[in-house]
Amino acid sequence: SSGMTNNGLINVALDATFRGNNATFVNAGTFAGNGTFATHVNGDILNQGIVSPGLVAAPIGQLHIEGDLRQATIGSVVFDLATLASFDQLAVSDDVFLTGSVIARNAGYVPVVGERFLVMTFDERPLDTTFDLVTTQGFDAGIRFAAVYDTHSMSLVVVSVPEPETYAMLLVGLGLLGFRFSRRSARVAG
């Protein structure tokens, strides 16, 4: 009957439901799993921590939220991407108010520009809010994703992948700099 703040880990198993209360549920820790988080009528989830579909031991999963999801600027939603057929999904039955960050985390995926992952569905985005920042974890430098919003969904799209030639040029450049530095050091010492 009163509000609750999670400062730890709530990991909801497949086919299980974590039932909220009539007040706002504040997530300041980590909310994860493959089950359902259900708020009662007029209840919201305020995410000031991390929402991460999938279980800790098996990262790819689908998490359901019955109610509204309100993202705080310090909140993050993390999506693990393994393949085009295996990636996290978050399904919100009511409205989303987005801000904060969305994180694309590598779970074995090799990015190709233009590939799209439909990672979040929702009823409405009343104020056309968007995530402030899209970041990556576990991907090589230069790999970038963008969040693309549709009427009732949000997708992560690969927008930048460094070409293999770019890596080769970088390695050659670093090698030349190292050779020049070693020659300069040898002259100063001699």
Side-chain angles (χ1 to χ4, degrees), residues 5-10 26-31 47-51 76:
T5 298
N6 169 45
N7 288 304
L9 168 66
I10 296 176
V26 178
N27 178 44
T30 300
F31 184 67
N47 182 39
Q48 297 176 341
I50 297 170
V51 172
S76 298

Side-chain angles (χ1 to χ4, degrees), residues 140-141 161-174:
D140 290 337
V161 176
E163 298 295 323
E165 297 83 22
T166 303
Y167 286 124
M169 296 286 287
L170 176 65
L171 290 175
V172 168
L174 289 173

Side-chain angles (χ1 to χ4, degrees), residues 92-96 98 116 118 120-129 148-155:
V92 181
S93 69
D94 289 333
D95 299 338
V96 294
L98 303 176
R116 181 181 189 129
L118 196 154
M120 178 186 268
T121 58
F122 44 81
D123 185 42
E124 298 290 336
R125 212 167 26 103
L127 304 174
D128 289 332
T129 56
V148 177
Y149 301 89
D150 294 314
T151 305
H152 301 288
S153 65
M154 190 274 291
S155 299

Side-chain angles (χ1 to χ4, degrees), residues 1-5 20-25:
S1 62
S2 61
M4 176 185 167
T5 298
N21 50 44
N22 288 327
T24 297
F25 172 84

